[in-house]
Amino acid sequence: MADALKDQGNKAFAAKDYDKAIELFTQGIAIDPKNHCVAVNPSWSKGYARKGAALHGARRYDDAIAAYEAGLKVEDSPALRKGLKEVQDAKAHDAEDDNLGLGKMFADRNLLAKLAANPRTAKHLADPSFARQIQMIQQNPKLASQLLSGGDPRMIDVLGALMGVDMQGFSRPEGSDDLPEGYAKAEEPAAPPPAPKKAKTPPPPEPAAEDQDMDDEDAKAQKEATEAKKIGSEAYKKRDFEAAAAAFSKAWETWPKDITFLTNLAAVQFEQGDYDTAIATCEKAVEEGREMRADYKLVAKAYGRIGTSYSRKGDLESAIKFYQKSLTEHRTADVLNKLHDAEKQKADADRKAYLDPEKSAEAREQGNVSFKAGDFASAVKSYSEAIKRDPSDARGYNNRAAAYLKLVALPEALKDVNEAIKIDPVFVKAHIRKAHILFTMRDYTKALEAIQEAAVHDTDRKNANEIQQQENKIQHAIYSQRGTETQEETLERAMRDPEVAQIMNDPIMQSILEQAQGNPQALQDHMKNPMIRQKIQKLVNAGIIRTR
């Protein structure tokens, strides 16, 4: 039964009824799956030949070569040698074309759409024979160099279009047409290199009269549309948006094969403040562009203008979505910058929308509960939520610093307490906590400065006892650290502090210190100046000036 189906399939194949042949062969395989293929019977050389031919047709040259070589190991047949030679030649030929860049250009899936959108090449597609040639090249790009050297001037137009030559202002990149503000005109690209001279082949037959009439009609419509676009651009420059919109609408109605007419119309609608209509027009441009396989740069432009319209409406989430779609189609610096701005604005808006002092107080209280229970990690989490809800409340930072201190995360604790003091410079509890953190870090000089700053701001003396206890503790640590230091050792250690070094190198402070050596009372007089007093106190704390 399987053999009978195989015979019928062979007859259908010979009659070029390939669909019928596939059906019959498939039925035969279902009945007898062991009927030869190379997986079932690795010694079947004809199977390797057919596999190699199939892979050759798919332009998988390396796989095809491997299949032929595997077959030759089974049987040294002329068919296998011939197939191997053909695929090796094809691979070499494609490599040559790739060096010229032709294979990549003609393999573009948007090839026909690009040619249809170009005024010089669109009319050539009206010739069925020429259109078939283009389709043949698209299916097998290695034919490109052969047909380019055939002497047909229309192929030169095709090459120029694919190399990006701006024939009549078509296929401009994002922002390069004459419309929106801030968009500059694209520079004229260089002319395409001449096609290599080879033996000429007979030119294709001239199009039929009926095709020529259709070509002329399309050319006329396209010319009218181009003129309407020009009028629209001039009106746009004069900010006559009604006239511009009418002209661009007419251009699209006359020649609905170029979506730049729609994106230009959307630009006008955007300037008129009709953002919803601009979005709808650009969405239509994308839909039509997909249908006609338009240049991805034009689709990217439409997506970008949708994003800008949403941004102007204040819908930043949608703006970000369409900016990302635009960049997926074609990446430009303009759209990328707009995306970054929109993301930044959205993050700021989200942060502001999250602000809630009442919920901040609730989170801070929850943090206090966790802190008292000894769950300092949970306390950090709750205090962080309090900060997000109200970053202007210094208590959240100060409390989180206390939790970090318990976790011995000293750099994080110091950073938080500094932020608390930045928000509220007279926050006594924050200055006390800073002194505690610095003491734990064994930076006794700065710890002493911090506790002295706390004393300055404790005007009601509610924290006087705590401040005094902390200062005594710090002074004792300093005395223990410096008890055996000589004056030279003290100076060397103190000068490692950049602030101390700056004070000591200040000519004014040098003069004051020289006066103080001969007249200690002069030092007391200078300390009446708050800035001088602060610097002298710094030197006292560092041990350079000794009070006893």
Side-chain angles (χ1 to χ4, degrees), residues 55-74:
L55 291 168
H56 183 174
R59 303 184 69 211
R60 291 169 54 184
Y61 298 133
D62 291 334
D63 291 339
I65 290 171
Y68 282 125
E69 289 177 343
L72 286 169
K73 291 178 181 179
V74 174

Side-chain angles (χ1 to χ4, degrees), residues 364 383 386-388 390-404 412-413 415-421 423 427 430 433:
R364 189 174 64 254
Y383 291 141
I387 292 169
K388 290 179 183 177
D390 188 2
S392 64
D393 190 336
R395 291 174 295 178
Y397 288 102
N398 190 48
N399 290 4
R400 191 169 70 177
Y404 276 138
E412 290 81 0
K415 181 179 178 181
D416 268 2
V417 80
N418 281 333
E419 188 65 29
I421 293 171
I423 295 170
F427 191 3
R433 180 149 291 132

Side-chain angles (χ1 to χ4, degrees), residues 186-248:
E187 296 182 359
E188 290 293 333
K197 293 183 179 181
K198 292 184 179 179
K200 293 186 178 181
T201 57
E206 291 296 325
E210 181 179 348
D211 292 336
Q212 186 65 43
D213 291 340
M214 184 174 60
D215 182 18
D216 290 343
E217 183 179 346
D218 286 347
K220 179 181 179 182
Q222 191 178 54
K223 182 178 180 181
E224 290 179 4
T226 303
E227 289 297 325
K229 178 185 176 182
K230 183 177 179 181
I231 293 171
S233 298
E234 293 297 325
Y236 183 92
K237 291 176 183 178
K238 297 175 182 177
R239 303 192 68 80
D240 185 354
F241 297 129
E242 290 188 6
F248 291 133

Side-chain angles (χ1 to χ4, degrees), residues 39-106:
V40 177
N41 184 3
S43 64
W44 186 41
S45 63
K46 185 181 291 185
Y48 289 106
R50 289 178 180 174
K51 181 180 179 181
L55 291 168
H56 183 174
R59 303 184 69 211
R60 291 169 54 184
Y61 298 133
D62 291 334
D63 291 339
I65 290 171
Y68 282 125
E69 289 177 343
L72 286 169
K73 291 178 181 179
V74 174
E75 179 184 351
D76 185 10
S77 75
L80 288 168
R81 287 199 303 273
K82 179 181 178 183
L84 177 60
K85 178 68 166 57
E86 288 175 349
V87 75
Q88 288 173 336
D89 291 343
K91 180 181 178 181
H93 194 281
D94 269 21
E96 180 182 355
D97 282 352
D98 286 342
N99 290 335
L100 296 173
L102 299 178
K104 183 176 180 181
M105 285 191 293
F106 282 95

Side-chain angles (χ1 to χ4, degrees), residues 301-346:
K301 178 185 290 187
Y303 275 137
R305 288 187 178 163
I306 292 175
T308 304
S309 298
Y310 273 120
S311 179
R312 189 62 64 89
K313 288 182 65 178
D315 186 350
L316 294 173
E317 185 173 354
S318 295
I320 291 170
K321 172 184 174 182
F322 282 97
Y323 285 145
Q324 289 172 337
K325 285 190 174 185
S326 177
L327 292 170
T328 300
E329 296 291 330
H330 178 60
R331 196 172 183 84
T332 64
D334 177 61
V335 175
L336 184 60
N337 290 335
K338 289 181 178 180
L339 172 63
H340 290 164
D341 289 342
E343 289 175 335
K344 184 178 179 181
Q345 291 176 33
K346 186 175 184 300

Side-chain angles (χ1 to χ4, degrees), residues 388-443:
K388 290 179 183 177
R389 289 291 187 179
D390 188 2
S392 64
D393 190 336
R395 291 174 295 178
Y397 288 102
N398 190 48
N399 290 4
R400 191 169 70 177
Y404 276 138
L405 181 59
K406 290 292 186 180
L407 293 169
V408 199
L410 301 181
E412 290 81 0
L414 184 60
K415 181 179 178 181
D416 268 2
V417 80
N418 281 333
E419 188 65 29
I421 293 171
K422 180 180 177 181
I423 295 170
D424 185 0
V426 299
F427 191 3
V428 177
K429 288 291 186 180
H431 287 289
I432 294 174
R433 180 149 291 132
K434 181 176 181 179
H436 191 182
I437 295 167
L438 290 167
F439 181 87
T440 306
M441 298 174 76
R442 299 181 182 276
D443 193 344

Side-chain angles (χ1 to χ4, degrees), residues 244-262:
F248 291 133
S249 296
K250 179 182 177 182
W252 174 253
E253 292 169 0
T254 305
W255 181 253
K257 297 182 180 181
D258 182 357
I259 63 171
T260 59
F261 302 147
L262 291 176

